[in-house]
Amino acid sequence: MVSYKDISGLRVKKVSSDPSNLNAGEMWYNTTSNTFKTAQTFATAWSAGGSLNTARSQLAGTGTKAAGLAFGGTPPSTTAPSVTNGDKCESYDGSSWTAENTKGNATRQNSGFGTQTAAVCFGGYRDPAGYFDGTEDYNGTSWSASNVYPATISNGAGGACGTQTAGLNVGGYASGTTYSDGSAEYNGASWSAGNVAPYGASNMSQVGIQTAALSWGGNDGVTPSQDTVVTYDGTSFAAETSTPAATQCNGSSGIQTSCIVYGGGISTSYTTSSLEWDGSTWTAGVSLATGRQNAADCSASPSKSDAYFAGGDYSETTVYNNTEEYTPSYTGAKTVTTS
């Protein structure tokens, strides 16, 4: 019989715990669990997570798949948002969602950024008041009103990025028929107007930080979705490589030079598709299980591996409460069995 030493020239090492920095094909014997193990490469994938307690769409999200926050939103109703949905807030621990204290305002199509314990919600739409300029800060326990955004605006879940003390929003839909090309920065207490972006649209998406952001896509009222991509350095905008398909209402996670874009509209509406960006090139990524838009996602994630997508809708009539989590390819330990 051919042994592992015959094949590899090495003996199977004995260790009390699985080694780190694995290379595919390595094998060892774990003396603690009394099992043979090998290093295996696992493919990039989306997997099912916990479900929101309240199914809703047009909500915003912050944080990461291990420590997320979802707030605002609406059920499928012509009179939404309702007091039972638009002010809802839930936290996520990587496996389940927990109801938290409600926001002061019931909104849909609101935007957000920050972390699970230091978040910002702004703008959106309230019935019957209409488009909204309010801002609320969250400290991990409760929401409090802050200074208003420079305009009454909605931009959707992906419409902002950054931290509670250094946030950024680009674009949005203002009162009337205005597709904004304006930007605004938040310092934890107030907003200040930034420079004008190269184009105006609502339902744009952003990743990164206030001084190194990536913005793309959206609806300009003429073209349902855009393939335009721009960078922001804290002062000015610059054109970047366009997405291979027009996008809007997407989920996103990552930084200016490495991110993933998923769901929403990528070429077609309510897609399961995703795109990955490495700082110079867009490539097709793995697909989600559920095609939807207007779901909660990350907005202050340092890595695209933090991505999650919770809630959302299909054609505004089917509203979801399920969550999907993204895991990039990795090499990990697998127990050797006879099957």
Side-chain angles (χ1 to χ4, degrees), residues 44-46 63-66 252-255 258-260 262 276 298 301-308 324-330:
T44 301
W46 287 92
T64 69
K65 67 183 182 185
S252 57
S253 179
I255 59 175
S258 177
C259 70
I260 181 171
Y262 45 92
E276 300 205 22
C298 305
S301 55
S303 170
K304 65 183 180 184
S305 63
D306 290 326
Y308 73 89
E324 294 187 55
E325 302 175 5
Y326 174 79
T327 303
S329 62
Y330 69 98

Side-chain angles (χ1 to χ4, degrees), residues 214 216 227-231 238-244 277 279-282:
L214 190 74
W216 65 89
D227 63 2
T228 305
V229 181
V230 295
T231 59
E240 190 48 90
T241 305
S242 298
T243 52
W277 169 249
S280 61
T281 305
W282 293 96

Side-chain angles (χ1 to χ4, degrees), residues 49-308:
S51 295
L52 288 164
N53 293 286
T54 302
R56 57 196 192 278
S57 178
Q58 300 181 12
L59 71 168
T62 65
T64 69
K65 67 183 182 185
L69 193 73
F71 42 90
T74 175
S77 169
T78 57
T79 59
S82 72
V83 295
T84 58
N85 289 273
D87 61 352
K88 293 281 189 182
C89 174
E90 298 184 39
S91 62
Y92 191 58
D93 63 5
S95 60
S96 60
W97 290 91
T98 301
E100 303 292 349
N101 287 325
T102 55
K103 300 194 297 103
N105 295 284
T107 54
R108 60 182 171 92
Q109 284 288 357
N110 47 280
S111 299
F113 53 88
T115 65
Q116 187 185 69
T117 57
V120 178
C121 176
F122 69 95
Y125 194 87
R126 296 184 302 167
D127 287 313
Y131 291 97
F132 187 50
D133 61 2
T135 301
E136 293 183 67
D137 291 343
Y138 183 69
N139 62 8
T141 302
S142 58
W143 293 88
S144 59
S146 184
N147 285 328
V148 297
Y149 191 80
T152 54
I153 197 167
S154 71
N155 205 14
C161 66
T163 66
Q164 189 180 64
T165 57
L168 172 71
N169 179 66
V170 181
Y173 184 81
S175 298
T177 57
T178 303
Y179 292 85
S180 176
D181 59 2
S183 68
E185 298 178 356
Y186 187 66
N187 65 7
S190 60
W191 292 91
S192 59
N195 282 331
V196 172
Y199 74 110
S202 65
N203 298 322
M204 295 175 66
S205 293
Q206 280 129 56
V207 295
I209 58 176
Q210 191 183 80
T211 55
L214 190 74
S215 302
W216 65 89
N219 180 352
D220 69 357
V222 178
T223 305
S225 52
Q226 301 283 318
D227 63 2
T228 305
V229 181
V230 295
T231 59
Y232 183 68
D233 63 7
T235 302
S236 57
F237 291 90
E240 190 48 90
T241 305
S242 298
T243 52
T247 69
Q248 68 164 328
C249 299
N250 313 113
S252 57
S253 179
I255 59 175
Q256 187 185 67
T257 56
S258 177
C259 70
I260 181 171
V261 182
Y262 45 92
I266 300 177
S267 182
T268 60
S269 298
Y270 319 114
T271 187
T272 59
S273 301
S274 70
L275 297 170
E276 300 205 22
W277 169 249
D278 64 5
S280 61
T281 305
W282 293 96
T283 56
V286 297
S287 296
L288 295 93
T290 303
R292 49 183 156 163
Q293 64 178 8
N294 296 319
D297 68 346
C298 305
S299 63
S301 55
S303 170
K304 65 183 180 184
S305 63
D306 290 326
Y308 73 89

